[in-house]
Amino acid sequence: MKSLEELKALREKMKSQVEIREDDANALRVVVGMATCGIAAGARPVLTAFSNGVQERGLRGVSVVQTGCIGLCQYEPIVEIHAAGGEKTTYVQVTADMVDEIIAQHIVNGKPVNKYTIEAQRIG
């Protein structure tokens, strides 16, 4: 740190990261299962990819949070997206490589990526 301006810029960057991780009931919520089974299956990079993707796009009204066990260990990592109106979409076996597509299609454009959902896994 060489100046007060650098410190202020760092403060604003960190503040925006914290806001993304706050659980706002009125926001679209991205919930990543982070129980032991989820972490073992790779949920930590998925959580990071969602947090970074939302922040990089400057998306407002979107919170990225973690939860414990969702109860479907064979489908981990699991991500649930809860719309402000209450509709829930469950994505399964999510990888960090899938996150950009989910953000672009579902979060930005409101169209779930059906091929990654639990319904597609049960049918296929």
Side-chain angles (χ1 to χ4, degrees):
M1 258 346 107
K2 294 182 182 178
S3 69
L4 184 57
E5 288 76 28
E6 287 181 47
L7 182 61
K8 287 179 182 178
L10 179 61
R11 178 178 179 259
E12 288 305 311
K13 178 182 176 190
M14 298 310 293
K15 183 179 174 185
S16 68
Q17 287 178 352
V18 168
E19 288 172 354
I20 289 170
R21 298 294 299 275
E22 290 178 350
D23 194 4
D24 179 356
N26 296 319
L28 183 140
R29 295 175 56 229
V30 178
V31 181
V32 180
M34 291 288 289
T36 306
C37 54
I39 293 169
R44 191 169 308 282
V46 171
L47 177 67
T48 301
F50 270 107
S51 295
N52 291 344
V54 167
Q55 181 181 3
E56 288 167 4
R57 287 174 173 83
L59 299 177
R60 298 286 175 221
V62 178
S63 64
V64 179
V65 298
Q66 65 186 46
T67 192
C69 183
I70 295 175
L72 299 166
C73 299
Q74 70 271 25
Y75 292 115
E76 292 289 353
I78 297 173
V79 176
E80 296 178 338
I81 297 185
H82 299 261
E87 183 179 323
K88 176 179 79 171
T89 303
T90 302
Y91 292 101
V92 296
Q93 298 175 334
V94 179
T95 65
D97 293 336
M98 297 161 61
V99 171
D100 280 336
E101 183 178 2
I102 294 170
I103 291 173
Q105 295 301 315
H106 191 156
I107 296 174
V108 174
N109 293 319
K111 299 176 182 173
V113 185
N114 292 323
K115 64 184 177 185
Y116 300 145
T117 64
I118 192 163
E119 290 81 12
Q121 291 297 317
R122 289 182 179 170
I123 293 169

